[in-house]
Amino acid sequence: MVVMTAQALAVLQPHAIPFDHEELYNAAHARLIQLEHFEYLFDLQYRGHCGGCTQHALLGAALFGLMGPSLFVWKLIPIMWVGLMTFAGACFLLRHHRSAGALAFGALLLLPPPAFLELSLTAWGNHFESGVAALVVLWMASRTVRHPSLLSCGLLGLSLSWALWIGFSSAFLLLAMPFLVWRKLTRRHVFAMLAGLSAIGLLWAYQHTTTASSPFGTIYYPGESIPALSRVPTKLWSLLAPRQLVALFGASDSIWGWGAGIATGFCIASALWITRHSSAARSIRILFGSFLLVYCTVRFTVWTPPSPEIAPPGSMRYAAPLYGLSFAALALAFDAAWSTGKHALAWALIIPSMAVGIQARANLFKAPFPDQSV
């Protein structure tokens, strides 16, 4: 609730929170559904592959019906998604007996870098939301492999279906799933999971046959039937270059903001190394690897502007799934260091990200805050 309250206050600062035209299309979609045009639910979907857009439209229609249409009410949708991310990440960490890590995870979301703050308040439907889905699937998978049952496996399959419906930004979760459950489930458990996963197939088939906008579209450049591996180094550099780390985790308006962004990238790598023997961290590494494998082969990429320019937060949207996984990795390493008495190391791992977050939150409370026109 603390994280959601902080997000709600952020909406009252119009200079900090954009209202993207693609996002506002989803809001218009919600308004039409609220006005009883439900038969056009899938026809009005912004992109055929963006089921998350329709999820937002359904939530928006319900909220508009309860509280009336307004920009603030619309922003309650991404605020709820942040709440879900906080809950799922904390549950995953607590399941692995990481109470200090759960608190650190909440603190990282409470004080996030500017790019995450903007992305987490922009209801595109299939970018930041894919990162939320990654943590939900990670939590569900950790529950299932520890105590497998037909019900838990079916729910895991359904959660994966929901993630894939959000958009192809979640496709890396499908690639990771066999590695998450390998040798942990019996054959009938696997069949139960596949039964839950079949829901997305039925939904896509319905949409493909009843609407003009197919859920299937090319993820490569025109003329490509297979991905060009020559772009892999460029794609990796678009995430790992120092300037890109500043765009992802730092602040472009000061030297220390640059340093904090680069330091956060180093801390994430260090966190993965510190927790290399942890089963929880293994799951996070699998998702990291799956994301990078998919990201490096598809045509979608984060923008890499010419030096010394720093990419704006919105251009980081294709890397949005990395945030929740990165915060979870930092939280796991924080807990590992804290539990062994290495308190200085624990704080050093999360302070660079939180320091930028403090500044980002503080900037929200400058005039014209609180702007109640939303």
Side-chain angles (χ1 to χ4, degrees):
M1 288 302 296
V2 174
V3 175
M4 294 174 68
T5 300
Q7 294 292 92
L9 290 174
V11 178
L12 301 178
Q13 174 53 269
H15 292 170
I17 306 303
F19 293 97
D20 183 83
H21 72 277
E22 296 181 50
E23 174 193 11
L24 294 180
Y25 179 97
N26 293 337
H29 186 184
R31 179 65 169 152
L32 289 170
I33 298 304
Q34 186 220 344
L35 294 175
E36 301 182 358
H37 295 288
F38 192 82
E39 67 273 19
Y40 300 112
L41 177 66
F42 290 106
D43 292 300
L44 292 171
Q45 185 168 296
Y46 181 65
R47 290 282 189 270
H49 60 268
C50 183
C53 298
T54 295
Q55 293 180 41
H56 282 355
L58 288 169
L59 285 171
L63 290 173
F64 289 164
L66 288 171
M67 293 178 278
S70 72
L71 290 174
F72 183 82
V73 171
W74 173 252
K75 288 296 185 181
L76 292 178
I77 295 172
I79 289 171
M80 288 190 293
W81 281 79
V82 171
L84 178 58
M85 172 180 270
T86 308
F87 176 78
C91 286
F92 168 73
L93 292 161
L94 290 173
R95 178 156 289 277
H96 290 274
H97 308 290
R98 307 286 188 171
S99 56
L103 291 173
F105 182 77
L108 288 165
L109 286 176
L110 180 63
L111 300 170
F116 177 84
L117 182 60
E118 182 171 317
L119 292 173
S120 65
L121 283 167
T122 307
W124 276 307
N126 65 331
H127 294 301
F128 160 71
E129 296 82 356
S130 295
V132 178
L135 285 181
V136 171
V137 170
L138 182 64
W139 168 44
M140 294 291 291
S142 69
R143 292 178 69 247
T144 300
V145 298
R146 280 175 173 251
H147 304 288
S149 67
L150 294 180
L151 177 60
S152 65
C153 290
L155 290 175
L156 177 59
L158 282 174
S159 68
L160 189 54
S161 285
W162 164 69
L164 292 172
W165 186 35
I166 287 173
F168 290 144
S169 300
S170 302
F172 73 98
L173 298 174
L174 185 62
L175 180 63
M177 189 53 61
F179 299 97
L180 292 176
V181 301
W182 182 255
R183 295 183 176 178
K184 303 290 179 60
L185 304 180
T186 65
R187 183 174 299 179
R188 65 193 190 109
H189 289 143
V190 172
F191 283 136
M193 185 178 70
L194 293 176
L197 182 58
S198 67
I200 187 58
L202 297 174
L203 185 58
W204 279 342
Y206 172 81
Q207 184 179 346
H208 183 69
T209 56
T210 60
T211 68
S213 180
S214 172
F216 307 108
T218 178
I219 58 175
Y220 304 129
Y221 287 102
E224 285 186 356
S225 56
I226 59 174
L229 298 182
S230 59
R231 63 170 169 262
V232 171
T234 302
K235 297 295 288 287
L236 283 175
W237 191 242
S238 72
L239 296 175
L240 302 178
R243 285 188 300 115
Q244 297 300 92
L245 291 175
V246 175
L248 284 165
F249 300 110
S252 61
D253 56 357
S254 65
I255 294 298
W256 78 267
W258 280 55
I262 296 171
T264 298
F266 177 78
C267 288
I268 294 168
S270 300
L272 293 173
W273 173 256
I274 290 169
T275 58
R276 62 191 180 277
H277 300 303
S278 164
S279 60
R282 175 183 174 274
S283 300
I284 294 175
R285 290 196 300 272
I286 288 172
L287 292 187
F288 265 122
S290 299
F291 174 84
L292 291 175
L293 182 60
V294 173
Y295 174 80
C296 287
T297 53
V298 299
R299 63 183 172 89
F300 308 107
T301 187
V302 298
W303 184 42
T304 307
S307 179
E309 186 178 352
I310 299 297
S315 65
M316 296 291 107
R317 61 187 181 274
Y318 293 115
L322 289 176
Y323 282 104
L325 297 176
S326 298
F327 294 155
L330 288 171
L332 272 174
F334 177 93
D335 190 284
W338 190 270
S339 62
T340 55
K342 300 175 182 178
H343 296 170
L345 174 60
W347 285 114
L349 287 168
I350 65 173
I351 279 178
S353 180
M354 291 179 61
V356 175
I358 291 172
Q359 182 189 36
R361 288 290 184 193
N363 287 340
L364 298 176
F365 297 103
K366 298 178 181 178
F369 177 90
D371 181 359
Q372 301 180 22
S373 63
V374 296

